[in-house]
Amino acid sequence: MNGYVEAGYLAVLGVLAGYSALLLGRSRKMKKALLPVKVKEKRSEPGPTE
Amino acid sequence: MWRDALLIAAKDLKIELRSKVTMNQILPFAFVVLIVFAFALDTSPGTLAKVAPGLFWLAVLFSSVFGVDRAVAIETNDSAGEGLLAYGVDPGGIFLGKVISVFVQLFLLEIFLLLGVVVLYGPKIGGLPLMAISAFFATLGLCAAGVTYSQLASASRAKQTLLPLLLVPVASPVLLAGTKAWQDAFSTAASLGDPWLRLLIVFAVVYLALGAIFFGSILEG
Amino acid sequence: MGSLVSFKNVIVISGNFPILTGLDFEAGPGEIVLVKGRNGAGKTSLLRAVAGLARITRGSANVLGVDIAANPADVRHRIGLLGHEGFLYEDLTASENVRFVLKATRSDPSKAEAAMASLGLTGRLGDLKVAKMSAGQRKKVALAALLAREPELWLLDEPHASLDSWTRGVLDATLNAKVSRGATVLLVSHESHHGSLVPTRTVEVGGGKIISDTHATKPVPLDPLAVAEQGSGNVA
Amino acid sequence: MESKGYRWSRRAVGFVALLLVAATVVLGLWITPPDVVQGQLVRLIYVHPPVAWVAYLAYGVTSICSVLYLWKRTRNLKWDLLAASSAEVGVIFTGLTLITGSIWGRPAWGVWWTWDARLTTTALLFVLYLGYLALRRVPADNHQRAVRSAIAGLIAFIDVPIVHQSVVWWRTLHQSATVLNATLSPKIHGEMAMTLLLGFIAFTFVYVWMLMHRYQIADMEQSVLDVELEQLIEERQREPETYSDQTVLTQDVDQIDQPSKV
């Protein structure tokens, strides 16, 4: 076409894909970080009955 | 609220009279800005006279950042601001008091600065009523927005950089409208029905209202 | 006689750190409560919370009949807080600072003179900028403002620190007089001696809650006047 | 933690968004005809206005959530997290609006940038919300941060019409160059209009998917902090007991200090 159109589409798709990848990565990392916390929370729950 | 506002304003102005921060630091800074603009832009003799209103309001905008920062900084020393809360001073009154105090200082600064502009840039001055009234509302709006944002940013350790980032874009309409109003005042089209003056009034009213409503929540936050 | 301060299971969080962790505390009129505890136990935080300056995250907190978790601003002007900071403006003089506090709290500004004089802040000292004052003198200025205000509830964080013994005596005598008229004092102190100011109760704070609460002699009698008399009679 | 329903609706939204964007790209780049006036350049119309719309939508959501947090009756930290998430996505889309606008402006008007009202307002909007995100990074407790950023978010939004009006008046001469005039050109084809509509829907779905994801991350971060806080409270409550031997020691010292009191 004329270069500008391609550049525009590429910029939009590239930035959105990049941000999505960032979100997915952060989400995965947070889920991992949340797992040990959840376990700890469960372990500390029966605490008062001891 | 008004009683508290006057109390705070009187106290802040008294502190300024003693410490002379605006007088000895912010005013000279504003002049430095004027002079540096002249270095950067003085390509042909007429240029500076033509852009004088814009440069004036830019210098005021920069000075207002320091002015509102100082107004909030007064209360951080010895936790004085917390003291105000502990005394039960109305937060809206604190806000208005700070706005009044900075307004008085900034308005005086503008008078000196205008003299500087006349001497250094040599524009044709005219339409004094429009100039004065638009300067009044422009300064009021700048102070209202500035005190609000200065308090918002005050919790940050990097408040010196955060405050301009927040305040300058918000206050940009004042820069535009103030400049245009003064350009109109200098030209033959000077009338108090100037649309730019109306925009300045809207800005001042909106930010005074927002500040008075939200300042308490920011302080207590 | 209701209690002036009533805290139930109060949790206060500051910057994601729990400074009070479920604190229960009551204080009635005519009491002098000594708050003890090691550094970081939450003594100062307790005072700030009672003064309505700390946001109550959980629990219920009543001070002078006002729910300070919901409306802290309604009661603050009736409480006198002397913290580590004096809330003073360096560029104002001693008497200007005291007068400002009195106007801000809607108290009688003419009382400034007498309060300052009672602490020895007279003559040129009263017209000296706070910036030029020593730590002890600054404390006197903050105290003078407090004495002139005559709050119903006195929250004093290390009030005796950096004061000379003469000023301590004046302060203690003044506080005893106020307490005998029904005022309440919460006193944070690391010191063992409190001069003539004898606590009716000692609470120990640890880990952001009260860990011990001991009455000096007997449980607080109903008549505040009697408390003061017993208190002064008990000075060793 | 994320519920099953939330996860599945998020995935469905993501899937639809992907499909719609792909369809918009295919239609926009290859199926639709070039414009009589603008030529191939018209193809940018299928992305630029939709992206700009999403930016405004995102800031609108941020403002609504900010109001909901500031209003005591609806106060909930979730509104704050949602406001922040929407603002972040909004900043991404504002950036894209500026980039695509600039790419369009170069061949259309011969410049990368013009001080037209819409462009200037968008640029200021970008800076304003960058400031909002910077303010959020200032360390504070949850409520403090939520109140401050809600106020900043709301003020930024209220500022938009004022800024816009001032720049419109400032730059009256450049009005003919605005994007919207071109968009509303009556010569627009039926299938072009359909593709444009599809673009709006597609990018709105992308926004919703991103918002759901970003919010979930914020929510998870918050629950980690919450759990840590509960543990801190518990630990601190146990503090006095764990140092019990030292307590005895200090009591002894106290007694030495003041024999009169015993």
Side-chain angles (χ1 to χ4, degrees):
Chain A
M1 274 158 246
N2 64 5
Y4 291 109
V5 173
E6 288 90 333
Y9 274 73
L10 219 66
V12 170
L13 296 178
V15 168
L16 291 183
Y19 184 65
S20 303
L22 199 88
L23 284 181
L24 289 171
R26 273 183 79 181
S27 169
R28 197 161 305 142
K29 227 174 28 187
M30 275 318 299
K31 271 180 192 155
K32 267 185 199 154
L34 209 57
L35 276 179
V37 170
K38 285 274 150 190
V39 172
K40 251 193 226 168
E41 196 182 24
K42 277 208 181 112
R43 222 181 276 155
S44 64
E45 261 164 25
T49 55
E50 277 173 324
Chain B
M1 187 161 88
W2 285 104
R3 190 184 162 279
D4 286 341
L6 292 177
L7 182 68
I8 300 284
K11 178 213 47 145
D12 278 12
L13 287 171
K14 196 184 269 174
I15 289 176
E16 168 54 24
L17 278 179
R18 299 268 167 79
S19 65
K20 299 192 176 63
V21 169
T22 306
M23 204 55 207
N24 293 344
Q25 288 164 32
I26 303 180
L27 182 63
F29 165 78
F31 274 104
V32 168
V33 172
L34 283 190
I35 292 166
V36 173
F37 280 148
F39 289 162
L41 296 176
D42 195 13
T43 45
S44 63
T47 317
L48 281 174
K50 217 160 77 190
V51 297
L55 298 187
F56 173 86
W57 282 107
L58 202 52
V60 171
L61 178 63
F62 287 159
S63 307
S64 77
V65 174
F66 292 108
V68 294
D69 186 43
R70 165 73 184 156
V72 169
I74 288 174
E75 306 295 347
T76 51
N77 202 345
D78 206 21
S79 299
E82 192 160 66
L84 293 182
L85 284 183
Y87 303 148
V89 180
D90 181 63
I94 300 177
F95 169 73
L96 286 175
K98 298 261 158 211
V99 170
I100 294 171
S101 150
V102 185
F103 175 85
V104 170
Q105 296 172 45
L106 210 58
F107 204 77
L108 290 175
L109 178 140
E110 285 167 20
I111 293 172
F112 284 110
L113 205 61
L114 179 62
L115 293 176
V117 166
V118 170
V119 172
L120 293 173
Y121 299 170
K124 271 189 216 129
I125 301 269
L128 272 177
L130 177 59
M131 270 175 76
I133 291 176
S134 54
F136 178 89
F137 284 105
T139 312
L140 200 58
L142 271 183
C143 294
V147 171
T148 310
Y149 271 97
S150 190
Q151 190 63 45
L152 264 181
S154 68
S156 167
R157 266 167 296 161
K159 72 174 158 73
Q160 284 88 349
T161 43
L162 184 58
L163 174 61
L165 172 63
L166 292 174
L167 180 57
V168 172
V170 165
S172 56
V174 175
L175 178 70
L176 293 192
T179 304
K180 281 292 188 181
W182 275 33
Q183 280 176 353
D184 289 350
F186 289 1
S187 76
T188 46
S191 96
L192 290 183
D194 198 82
W196 296 104
L197 178 58
R198 257 180 277 148
L199 189 71
L200 287 172
I201 295 174
V202 167
F203 189 91
V205 169
V206 166
Y207 279 90
L208 276 175
L210 284 174
I213 293 169
F214 289 130
F215 204 71
S217 315
I218 305 174
L219 270 181
E220 304 265 355
Chain C
M1 196 180 317
S3 42
L4 288 185
V5 180
S6 169
F7 273 33
K8 286 197 186 72
N9 201 21
V10 166
I11 293 184
V12 170
I13 314 280
S14 169
N16 291 322
F17 182 77
I19 50 178
L20 296 184
T21 59
L23 180 137
D24 296 301
F25 177 69
E26 302 260 339
E31 283 197 88
I32 301 176
V33 184
L34 173 65
V35 182
K36 285 202 322 187
R38 64 174 70 87
N39 296 332
K43 304 184 295 290
T44 301
S45 307
L46 170 60
L47 290 199
R48 284 175 45 85
V50 174
L53 290 175
R55 211 171 55 83
I56 313 283
T57 311
R58 273 176 243 166
S60 72
N62 259 276
V63 176
L64 300 171
V66 175
D67 177 8
I68 58 161
N71 312 303
D74 293 354
V75 76
R76 285 177 182 146
H77 63 282
R78 293 162 64 194
I79 304 171
L81 170 70
L82 178 73
H84 294 293
E85 290 96 359
F87 305 148
L88 301 174
Y89 296 100
E90 300 230 311
D91 290 305
L92 299 184
T93 67
S95 72
E96 282 167 347
N97 265 297
V98 175
R99 277 169 193 284
F100 175 76
V101 175
L102 293 178
K103 282 184 200 155
T105 50
R106 283 144 209 252
S107 318
D108 181 5
S110 64
K111 287 187 179 157
E113 290 294 317
M116 287 174 65
S118 73
L119 291 169
L121 290 167
T122 47
R124 271 190 32 211
L125 210 51
D127 297 325
L128 195 63
K129 269 198 206 177
V130 168
K132 289 181 182 153
M133 288 187 159
S134 70
Q137 286 172 321
R138 284 170 184 232
K139 192 127 199 174
K140 282 192 197 180
V141 177
L143 267 175
L146 211 56
L147 293 185
R149 273 176 64 190
E150 298 189 335
E152 294 157 64
L153 180 58
W154 300 66
L155 310 173
L156 308 173
D157 200 348
E158 302 280 357
H160 295 113
S162 68
L163 287 185
D164 55 63
S165 57
W166 179 80
T167 315
R168 289 180 187 205
V170 172
L171 174 63
D172 293 349
T174 316
L175 287 176
N176 277 326
K178 306 281 183 204
V179 169
S180 70
R181 268 178 255 137
T184 301
V185 175
L186 302 195
L187 179 72
V188 166
S189 180
H190 285 295
E191 294 176 44
S192 315
H193 287 283
H194 306 287
S196 60
L197 191 66
V198 177
T200 56
R201 236 170 99 197
T202 303
V203 295
E204 193 176 349
V205 179
K209 58 185 180 38
I210 305 285
I211 51 177
S212 76
D213 189 343
T214 42
H215 290 270
T217 46
K218 301 169 191 172
V220 185
L222 286 175
D223 184 359
L225 278 167
V227 178
E229 275 160 23
Q230 278 211 327
S232 52
N234 253 344
V235 181
Chain D
M1 195 58 181
E2 173 188 37
S3 74
K4 239 182 183 169
Y6 187 86
R7 190 187 310 153
W8 282 108
S9 50
R10 196 193 63 219
R11 281 180 187 166
V13 168
F15 183 69
V16 173
L18 210 60
L19 270 183
L20 290 179
V21 169
T24 309
V25 169
V26 170
L27 283 169
L29 281 183
W30 294 290
I31 311 288
T32 50
D35 186 63
V36 188
V37 186
Q38 300 220 6
Q40 299 290 358
L41 211 54
V42 77
R43 300 187 188 283
L44 278 173
I45 223 175
Y46 310 123
V47 290
H48 177 75
V51 162
W53 141 254
V54 169
Y56 279 94
L57 173 69
Y59 297 141
V61 170
T62 298
S63 308
I64 292 169
C65 292
S66 299
V67 171
L68 286 173
Y69 188 85
L70 286 174
W71 200 30
K72 277 200 177 129
R73 255 195 254 171
T74 49
R75 181 163 292 174
N76 189 324
L77 198 64
K78 294 202 182 303
W79 296 127
D80 173 59
L81 299 180
L82 199 57
S85 307
S86 191
E88 191 180 295
V89 179
V91 165
I92 299 278
F93 276 88
T94 315
L96 282 177
T97 309
L98 291 172
I99 294 173
T100 50
S102 197
I103 288 175
W104 195 344
R106 176 65 191 161
W109 314 319
V111 286
W112 290 108
W113 184 263
T114 171
W115 291 104
D116 147 85
R118 205 169 296 265
L119 266 76
T120 311
T121 311
T122 312
L124 274 170
L125 210 59
F126 187 59
V127 182
L128 275 170
Y129 282 92
L130 279 181
Y132 170 88
L133 292 178
L135 185 67
R136 292 197 65 89
R137 281 193 290 274
V138 174
D141 54 63
N142 293 332
H143 171 72
Q144 227 166 11
R145 192 190 52 210
V147 166
R148 290 193 177 137
S149 42
I151 292 169
L154 202 59
I155 292 182
F157 199 68
I158 291 171
D159 207 45
V160 172
I162 299 179
V163 170
H164 188 77
Q165 195 51 47
S166 60
V167 190
V168 166
W169 286 353
W170 177 264
R171 289 280 151 185
T172 8
L173 295 177
H174 289 237
Q175 272 310 284
S176 57
T178 53
V179 173
L180 204 65
N181 293 354
T183 320
L184 296 176
S185 145
K187 273 169 258 162
I188 203 155
H189 265 265
E191 57 182 331
M192 291 167 86
M194 285 305 291
T195 311
L196 179 58
L197 184 67
L198 185 67
F200 273 98
I201 298 170
F203 285 105
T204 307
F205 265 90
V206 172
Y207 162 72
V208 174
W209 180 81
M210 284 178 168
L211 182 66
M212 289 176 96
H213 236 299
R214 183 66 189 82
Y215 171 74
Q216 202 206 336
I217 292 169
D219 192 48
M220 284 193 285
E221 282 171 347
Q222 192 54 50
S223 46
V224 169
L225 283 177
D226 285 348
V227 171
E228 278 174 0
L229 185 67
E230 290 307 318
Q231 286 169 348
L232 263 176
I233 292 177
E234 251 176 66
E235 267 168 42
R236 193 160 153 73
Q237 280 175 337
R238 279 199 302 269
E239 235 170 58
E241 278 94 24
T242 51
Y243 295 112
S244 57
D245 47 343
Q246 282 173 354
T247 316
V248 173
L249 244 176
T250 45
Q251 273 171 0
D252 287 345
V253 173
D254 268 0
Q255 281 162 1
I256 296 161
D257 256 355
Q258 81 192 102
S260 60
K261 209 179 178 180
V262 184

